[in-house]
Amino acid sequence: DGNVTEVSPAHGRRAFDVVEDATLSCEVSASSNGDRCRRALHGVEHYWESRGETPSPANPHWLQLALPVGQELRRLVVLCRKFDSYSPKTVRVRVGSVSEPQAMVTVAEADLDDREYRVTVADETQLHDLEDAARYIRFEVIENRGINCKIAGLQVFSGQSGFRGTCAVT
């Protein structure tokens, strides 16, 4: 979305962290219907539908995204659609430097409306104090309006690892 500049105190040089939409560069996996999970990334025309028991905080329906090596999460956006009983009610975002869910930390939890709108569910405010690079992102539905959920329009914005928390927007 823009250029971020860091001045290295050791070298006095400027480096640019370009925050960009990395959505289509991500690897994606899912709690169910894994062969269809990339549909959640293709705007609002397509969607991924989960399958299973009613989601809960202990047993969420989820999509996990892996950014390319050397990149880390800056912002996660959802373009919500009106899916009635398939619309997620509460989502949780967990991130980590490794793909194992037990090693991830929760950075955001948000209630979503059953209507068409765009919402940022995680941004640099929540990611600022992380110790490790947020290369892996787990988008979890922990409460739904029905049993299965539909997710569309996930957008992942990333930047170069190592710039988070030390940059000034120019």
Side-chain angles (χ1 to χ4, degrees):
D1 259 346
N3 289 334
V4 180
T5 304
E6 175 187 283
V7 177
S8 171
H11 304 289
R13 288 183 269 165
R14 290 185 179 263
F16 290 95
D17 180 18
V18 178
V19 178
E20 59 188 3
D21 186 337
T23 306
L24 297 180
S25 301
C26 291
E27 293 178 19
V28 189
S29 57
S31 56
S32 60
N33 287 331
D35 59 327
R36 298 183 186 119
C37 61
R38 288 201 70 81
R39 292 180 181 183
L41 309 181
H42 293 288
V44 294
E45 299 82 34
H46 306 280
Y47 58 84
W48 166 75
E49 183 177 337
S50 68
R51 182 180 62 230
E53 301 295 318
T54 302
S56 68
N59 189 26
H61 293 195
W62 53 265
L63 288 164
Q64 185 163 310
L65 303 108
L67 286 163
V69 174
Q71 296 290 300
E72 65 180 31
L73 181 66
R74 294 287 189 265
R75 187 168 63 249
L76 181 64
V77 176
V78 182
L79 301 170
C80 297
R81 286 181 53 189
K82 184 170 176 45
F83 286 127
D84 300 317
S85 67
Y86 290 92
S87 291
K89 188 172 182 183
T90 306
V91 297
R92 176 172 61 200
V93 178
R94 298 171 66 212
V95 300
S97 61
V98 294
S99 63
E100 289 76 28
Q102 61 274 16
M104 294 181 169
V105 295
T106 300
V107 293
E109 199 169 293
D111 292 327
L112 302 180
D113 296 330
D114 182 27
R115 62 184 176 91
E116 295 195 20
Y117 70 109
R118 176 184 164 121
V119 61
T120 299
V121 290
D123 63 21
E124 292 208 45
T125 305
Q126 292 102 336
L127 302 168
H128 184 270
D129 293 327
L130 291 178
E131 291 182 22
D132 298 315
R135 180 173 171 226
Y136 296 91
I137 305 111
R138 195 168 165 108
F139 181 83
E140 300 177 333
V141 176
I142 58 175
E143 187 178 359
N144 204 38
R145 290 173 169 77
I147 295 173
N148 295 338
C149 61
K150 292 180 180 178
I151 306 294
L154 276 178
Q155 284 185 292
V156 181
F157 294 89
S158 69
Q160 182 179 341
S161 295
F163 280 84
R164 176 182 33 88
T166 61
C167 303
V169 176
T170 59

